[in-house]
Amino acid sequence: TTEIYTLSLHDALPISQSLLKSKRQVARTAFTLANRQPLDIAPDDVPLHKDAVAASIAEPSLSTLGNGVRVASVDRAHPLVTIGVGIDAGSRFESHQTAGAAFFLSQIYLKSTQNKSSLGLTRELELLSPNLRAVASRNSIDFVGSVPRADAQTFAELLGEILRPTLREWEVNDARDYVTRQAAAALGNDTARADALLLAEAFRNQSLGRPLVLERGAGDVSLGALRSFVAETYVAPRTIIVAHGLDHDVARRVAEAATASLPDGQEAPAPAKYVGGEVRLEVPSGVTHFTLAHSAAGVSTASLAVLRALLGREEIDSYKRIGSAARLGKLSGKVPQARAYVKGVDDTALFGIRGVAQSGNVRAAVDEARHVLASLASDVKSDELRGAQARRSEEHTSELQSLE
């Protein structure tokens, strides 16, 4: 039989704005309800070394250079420094003529630049940061790696080189087969395909709804389109340098040296507008996977993390039910698997529930998920909120230790 893969977005979900605040505001709200003193939650950037003291964690420092490049930094006492360069050059900024450029460029970032050959750039970066990675998304193209503190300046300058590609015809043509294979691998990820359908419907008829990876012709983006896209987006006002492990004054000097030759240009266009709707994909299966989500534009990452912890996750196997202390634990057996769904940031953010149900129970399962989401609007007790904050703190610490 042919089943339906359902992805639903409902505009009417009344998630309480009182919960969608910054992490610190949420903490204060919880402790005010409990008639206690406000408690500030530690920021997300926790030092990874084992001797770090949580009380000494610094707030992120933000500033803008004279050329328009944004700089963000968090200092920490650690021998390694993580540096990232992000450009507002994701697929949402492509046109019909430049479709597929963001993904293509993220796959060929080690090609020749204005000052270095492909071989020279690759060798230098491999020596400094073997874990360097490039990631394209709908919002941006990001280059991130970790290096010893003494090499931070050199590494940042090499990242700056990546932003000045020459895009020689023979190098681009030589990479086309590789880009095609990478695109096929990306399109083979069912979760990524589901997310693409979701965003296409959530931001219908807008640039944000365009696919990151083209279904056809991912390796055939023309040289002219690539050069045009780079000229438009690889500019100072669209660039941000992030340094985890450097004093902000040092981070600014590093950023200035790395981006001194970036051309001027226009900032990224205005945010996208959430539309919403419903889309279904039929595939042969015995179960239905569904996502019920709503726009979370303007909601801080920290607040979304706490909301996700409030929902928790729910998995039923033949022996036990997991996660019953959280909201998803209230779901019946009609929803054997469910978890909080958080995708994107800023105007692209979506928040909701992703679940699995037997085909005959889909309508009831989605209705249950809707009621659980709606319950966040008015039925959250202070103790429950503090528990969610504690779970999120534990999860975040575990994630950072894994990264370490």
Side-chain angles (χ1 to χ4, degrees):
T1 59
T2 299
E3 305 299 344
I4 297 177
Y5 189 107
T6 305
L7 298 167
S8 303
L9 297 106
H10 291 252
D11 291 293
L13 181 65
I15 296 178
S16 173
Q17 292 300 313
S18 65
L19 289 177
L20 306 182
K21 299 178 180 179
S22 72
K23 179 165 49 180
R24 295 181 182 280
Q25 290 172 318
V26 169
R28 290 193 178 94
T29 301
F31 276 76
T32 298
L33 290 172
N35 294 319
R36 301 180 183 179
Q37 292 298 315
L39 174 67
D40 282 344
I41 304 300
D44 286 339
D45 295 293
V46 180
L48 302 182
H49 61 292
K50 61 183 179 181
D51 297 325
V53 180
S56 66
I57 301 172
E59 291 285 351
S61 298
L62 308 171
S63 64
T64 303
L65 303 180
N67 61 357
V69 172
R70 292 155 289 165
V71 181
S73 69
V74 177
D75 199 2
R76 64 170 182 165
H78 195 281
L80 288 180
V81 174
T82 299
I83 297 178
V85 175
I87 322 165
D88 295 331
S91 58
R92 66 184 298 180
F93 303 116
E94 297 170 351
S95 64
H96 178 71
Q97 291 74 22
T98 59
F103 180 79
F104 198 113
L105 290 168
S106 72
Q107 302 300 314
I108 63 169
Y109 68 98
L110 291 178
K111 298 301 181 183
S112 299
T113 69
Q114 294 180 10
N115 299 310
K116 292 186 179 293
S117 67
S118 177
L119 179 60
L121 179 65
T122 301
R123 283 183 172 177
E124 289 187 57
L125 284 170
E126 284 181 345
L127 287 172
L128 283 175
S129 180
N131 66 345
L132 173 66
R133 60 193 183 277
V135 180
S137 67
R138 281 172 170 74
N139 287 309
S140 62
I141 303 176
D142 304 306
F143 310 96
V144 184
S146 298
V147 295
R149 184 178 294 272
D151 295 325
Q153 178 79 49
T154 303
F155 179 60
E157 291 177 1
L158 289 174
L159 292 181
E161 277 295 320
I162 292 175
L163 304 186
R164 295 182 283 274
T166 54
L167 296 176
R168 295 173 180 172
E169 184 174 7
W170 69 270
E171 286 188 322
V172 171
N173 290 338
D174 188 57
R176 293 190 183 281
D177 287 343
Y178 172 75
V179 174
T180 299
R181 292 194 300 272
Q182 293 299 102
L187 291 171
N189 185 315
D190 290 339
T191 299
R193 290 176 67 90
D195 288 339
L197 285 171
L198 193 72
L199 285 168
E201 189 66 15
F203 301 97
R204 190 169 55 254
N205 298 326
Q206 298 180 72
S207 61
L208 187 54
R210 296 191 185 112
L212 172 64
V213 184
L214 299 180
E215 292 279 351
R216 298 179 181 178
D220 298 331
V221 183
S222 72
L223 180 62
L226 293 173
R227 288 175 173 172
S228 173
F229 190 69
V230 167
E232 177 187 357
T233 60
Y234 281 40
V235 295
R238 290 189 178 213
T239 303
I240 182 169
I241 305 286
V242 179
H244 189 202
L246 292 180
D247 173 78
H248 194 64
D249 289 338
V250 176
R252 282 180 60 89
R253 291 197 295 271
V254 167
E256 286 173 349
T259 63
S261 60
L262 271 182
D264 192 15
Q266 299 296 318
E267 295 182 357
K273 182 180 179 181
Y274 174 78
V275 177
E278 181 175 319
V279 60
R280 304 184 181 199
L281 175 63
E282 295 185 4
V283 296
S285 173
V287 296
T288 296
H289 299 256
F290 68 90
T291 301
L292 180 71
H294 185 270
S295 173
V299 181
S300 71
T301 302
S303 296
L304 287 174
V306 174
L307 285 170
R308 181 173 59 187
L310 275 170
L311 286 177
R313 65 187 176 92
E314 184 66 8
E315 300 176 4
I316 298 176
D317 55 27
S318 57
Y319 301 103
K320 61 183 179 179
R321 180 180 290 263
I322 305 171
S324 58
R327 288 300 174 99
L328 292 181
K330 299 178 180 179
L331 294 172
S332 71
K334 294 179 180 179
V335 191
Q337 294 182 29
R339 62 181 176 85
Y341 178 81
V342 179
K343 186 71 176 178
V345 295
D346 299 328
D347 59 318
T348 70
L350 298 173
F351 171 74
I353 293 175
R354 172 164 284 177
V356 179
Q358 294 296 321
S359 301
N361 296 329
V362 174
R363 182 182 296 276
V366 172
D367 194 49
E368 282 193 38
R370 180 179 63 81
H371 282 294
V372 169
L373 280 177
S375 71
L376 295 178
S378 59
D379 188 28
V380 178
K381 308 301 183 184
S382 59
D383 288 345
E384 184 184 13
L385 186 57
R386 289 198 298 274
Q389 292 167 343
R391 288 195 298 275
R392 173 53 192 159
S393 179
E394 292 172 1
E395 291 172 359
H396 188 62
T397 300
S398 177
E399 290 166 2
L400 292 175
Q401 289 173 345
S402 298
L403 289 173
E404 175 81 347

